[in-house]
Amino acid sequence: MEYKWVTLSNTTVGILMATINGTITIISLPAIFRGIDINPLTSFQYLLWILMGYNIVTATLLVSFGRLSDMYGRVRLYNLGFLIFTIGSILLSLTPNMGDLGAMELIIFRIIQGIGGAFLMANSAAILTDAFPYNERGKALGINQIAGLAGSLIGLILGGILSVINWRYVFLVSVPVGIFGTIWSYTKLKELSKPSRNEGLDIAGNVIFGLGLILILIGVTYGLMPYGSSQTGWGDPWVIASMVSGAGLLVAFPFVERRVKYPMFRMELFKIRMFAAGNFASMLRSFAYGGLMIMIIIFLQGIWLPLHGVPYCQTPFWAGIYTIPLMLGFVTMGPISGWLSDRHGARVLATLGMVIVGIGFLALTTLPYNFSYPEFALIIFFMGLGNGMFASPNTASIMNSVPAKYRGVASGMRATLQNSGQTASIALFFTIVILSLSVALPHSLTQAVTQAGAPQLTPLVQKVPVTGALFAAFLGYDPVKSILSTLPQNVLSTIPPSAIATMEQRTWFPTAIAPAFMSALRDAFYVGAIMSFIAAITSALRGRIQIADLEGDRSVKS
């Protein structure tokens, strides 16, 4: 077998493992949190950290690991990533404790996975670019990304099945793939690039960039938590201090990089038009698209599926099944767009792809909360097509535009901007939904308990935190039942039995919050559409085809 196909198959296994882990975790969160016995009304921070902790770690480390890979060998550190990721998966499956301590262990073990994932992500595109000639890279990256979407699809279905049996199997399923991939990568992959071991490590740049990004992402995470009487924490002095300090460090970062001898972040690469436009378009695309999946899954599992008679124990599986069209759209278009970009360039394909995604967001805003599934499936399939049309041509154009000796750091820079955009997108979507719900939810719950025949509960339901209501809906809990269980007997006795029976029905809480939640989602979808169209404009500015020749680092333009 030619070596280029060995690299493609091995990096494909790595992508498959990482993407299975991503979607299987999201779809299985209700089972995981129920398994460790978490109270949804007081534990929203754990949901955020399990969702965003992985991305925070990878976004912080990707550029540093890309630079280290250029110095010590891309294959060597890619192999190490496989090993660390597998160890993280084993630890997650063995999580020993329950409650808050169990949640903290899950977060720590996810961070270990994130370290391994950063090594894999920082090097996979660079290893493929080293192994394939420039006129086959779009096809190779397209096949690689199809495997990524196939992994996402497998993760959704496996998560729905395994979470019903035992939540630990959700993490254990990655272990055999990880062991196989680790052994294969150590025995079959070889270095094609020449490590630049005569260059030093940029310690100052690593510290400033890593600390700045961590402070901003931590600030974003806790900005989504309630603070005082506010539903969000953006007014928390610690959040403000974290954001300002992080922003200050990142503003200082490029000035530091211009003065160090061996910079980790090659600022001069942004002088390459194709590289700059492709990366900014990718970041904007992640900003628009990154929070879509978690919002759709929360809505399906917490509201739409229960309203259609699906028991809560089965909602993870059916939420996975019902989001398959999004993946199928990507898998359908990914290889076609990669093949076409090898021949005609990335600008038209990538730009059109983001326009399609933007139109898809606008189409989602037209749906009622009790929508018809075929209409919803068609829209998300359409969005998957657009995303597939953008992804591999854009990645190929970025990697083709940089000299061979900088591919490791370029791959890390690309993945860092993409992961930062995705993390910011999750934070943005949650912020929009929380702020919108904070206005509409108290009225919706007041109206619901009044219609049920228990108006005396109005002061209590108005105090239900929006984050708690979101988390409770996602996990299949009804916070009103928790309120009823804490009421003194003399208050509980004033509520008619018929009202209690009504409020304890499976569909009562989803119906109560559905109109407010769908209205909030529409606001998020409008923002997603705007960001998608800006990404399309940025993509269109990438200019002509530009290939940095493997031999001599000269540019080939057409």
Side-chain angles (χ1 to χ4, degrees):
M1 181 187 293
E2 286 187 74
Y3 180 71
K4 63 182 181 181
W5 300 117
V6 173
T7 62
L8 178 59
S9 54
N10 189 272
T11 55
T12 296
V13 170
I15 290 292
L16 191 71
M17 180 178 68
T19 52
I20 286 176
N21 175 77
T23 54
I24 203 172
T25 301
I26 290 175
I27 206 74
S28 305
L29 279 174
I32 293 168
F33 280 115
R34 284 196 293 266
I36 60 173
D37 194 23
I38 282 291
N39 180 355
L41 294 181
T42 59
S43 306
F44 189 67
Q45 69 273 21
Y46 298 133
L47 172 65
L48 289 178
W49 270 100
I50 288 179
L51 282 176
M52 298 171 67
Y54 183 94
N55 283 342
I56 288 174
V57 172
T58 53
T60 302
L61 296 177
L62 276 167
V63 176
S64 301
F65 286 177
R67 182 74 191 91
L68 286 170
S69 300
D70 286 339
M71 292 172 59
Y72 298 107
R74 293 163 194 162
V75 167
R76 175 182 295 179
L77 296 188
Y78 175 84
N79 294 344
L80 180 62
F82 245 128
L83 179 61
I84 294 173
F85 193 97
T86 305
I87 291 171
S89 299
I90 294 171
L91 290 172
L92 281 163
S93 69
L94 297 174
T95 302
N97 289 293
M98 305 283 283
D100 291 347
L101 183 57
M104 289 299 298
E105 289 169 348
L106 286 173
I107 292 167
I108 292 169
F109 298 154
R110 281 281 286 170
I111 287 172
I112 293 172
Q113 266 193 334
I115 294 170
F119 277 118
L120 293 173
M121 294 169 64
N123 289 291
S124 59
I127 290 171
L128 282 176
T129 306
D130 286 342
F132 279 82
Y134 75 88
N135 61 346
E136 292 183 4
R137 289 171 189 160
K139 178 177 67 177
L141 289 165
I143 293 171
N144 200 244
Q145 290 176 350
I146 289 171
L149 265 292
S152 299
L153 182 61
I154 293 167
L156 289 172
I157 297 171
L158 269 181
I161 295 171
L162 296 177
S163 62
V164 175
I165 303 170
N166 190 315
W167 66 268
R168 295 180 188 276
Y169 295 165
V170 166
F171 299 114
L172 197 59
V173 73
S174 297
V175 175
V177 181
I179 292 172
F180 170 73
T182 301
I183 295 171
W184 193 15
S185 65
Y186 271 104
T187 56
K188 293 295 183 182
L189 294 186
K190 57 188 178 183
E191 294 288 354
L192 295 182
S193 61
K194 185 178 179 181
S196 306
R197 296 186 183 180
N198 58 325
E199 297 186 5
L201 186 63
D202 176 16
I203 296 175
N206 274 277
V207 171
I208 290 172
F209 181 80
L211 186 58
L213 200 56
I214 286 171
L215 285 171
I216 283 186
L217 294 177
I218 287 176
V220 166
T221 302
Y222 284 97
L224 297 174
M225 298 294 298
Y227 174 70
S229 60
S230 174
Q231 294 283 4
T232 61
W234 297 116
D236 184 342
W238 289 105
V239 170
I240 295 171
S242 180
M243 296 288 287
V244 171
S245 301
L249 288 170
L250 292 184
V251 168
F253 176 69
F255 297 98
V256 172
E257 290 299 274
R258 290 174 184 168
R259 287 168 173 76
V260 298
K261 187 175 182 180
Y262 301 112
M264 61 170 278
F265 213 98
R266 293 283 176 177
M267 303 303 295
E268 69 269 22
L269 293 180
F270 286 106
K271 295 178 181 178
I272 303 171
R273 184 173 173 179
M274 183 78 74
F275 180 85
N279 270 301
F280 287 130
S282 177
M283 184 174 68
L284 288 165
R285 171 258 175 201
S286 295
F287 200 50
Y289 198 80
L292 176 67
M293 177 63 81
I294 183 62
M295 287 298 160
I296 286 178
I297 287 175
I298 288 175
F299 183 79
L300 288 175
Q301 291 193 193
I303 296 174
W304 193 86
L305 286 168
L307 289 180
H308 287 77
V310 178
Y312 277 112
C313 63
Q314 296 180 18
T315 57
F317 173 75
W318 288 107
I321 295 296
Y322 285 167
T323 51
I324 285 176
L326 186 68
M327 308 299 173
L328 287 180
F330 191 107
V331 171
T332 301
M333 186 54 66
I336 299 173
S337 64
W339 180 79
L340 288 173
S341 72
D342 286 335
R343 287 152 180 77
H344 306 293
R347 179 162 59 176
V348 173
L349 287 165
T351 302
L352 181 58
M354 289 316 302
V355 170
I356 291 172
V357 171
I359 293 171
F361 271 116
L362 293 178
L364 285 175
T365 66
T366 66
L367 295 178
Y369 73 83
N370 200 15
F371 54 75
S372 165
Y373 177 72
E375 185 179 2
F376 170 77
L378 185 62
I379 292 172
I380 62 173
F381 176 77
F382 185 69
M383 295 180 76
L385 287 176
N387 196 31
M389 192 178 292
F390 173 84
S392 56
N394 188 67
T395 302
S397 73
I398 291 170
M399 297 307 297
N400 281 337
S401 69
V402 298
K405 64 180 180 179
Y406 294 142
R407 282 178 189 153
V409 70
S411 180
M413 291 164 69
R414 176 193 65 81
T416 292
L417 292 172
Q418 182 174 302
N419 273 32
S420 299
Q422 183 171 350
T423 305
S425 176
I426 294 172
L428 176 69
F429 273 51
F430 269 121
T431 299
I432 293 170
V433 168
I434 289 169
L435 290 176
S436 297
L437 277 177
S438 66
V439 175
L441 187 63
H443 172 72
S444 296
L445 289 177
T446 296
Q447 189 176 39
V449 294
T450 301
Q451 290 175 349
Q456 56 269 59
L457 293 180
T458 295
L460 297 173
V461 296
Q462 287 183 340
K463 294 179 181 177
V464 172
V466 168
T467 52
L470 267 178
F471 200 11
F474 185 36
L475 299 189
Y477 291 134
D478 183 347
V480 175
K481 289 182 181 178
S482 299
I483 292 172
L484 291 174
S485 67
T486 61
L487 288 177
Q489 187 59 40
N490 61 331
V491 177
L492 191 61
S493 63
T494 65
I495 302 174
S498 59
I500 294 176
T502 297
M503 290 185 291
E504 289 182 344
Q505 289 176 2
R506 183 178 60 210
T507 59
W508 183 83
F509 184 67
T511 304
I513 69 170
F517 189 65
M518 196 65 197
S519 176
L521 273 185
R522 289 191 188 101
D523 293 337
F525 291 154
Y526 280 124
V527 173
I530 292 169
M531 299 305 297
S532 297
F533 292 135
I534 296 174
I537 294 169
T538 306
S539 175
L541 296 175
R542 76 179 65 230
R544 297 178 296 168
I545 300 172
Q546 183 170 338
I547 312 291
D549 191 12
L550 186 64
E551 306 281 339
D553 296 340
R554 56 187 175 83
S555 284
V556 179
K557 297 185 179 181
S558 62

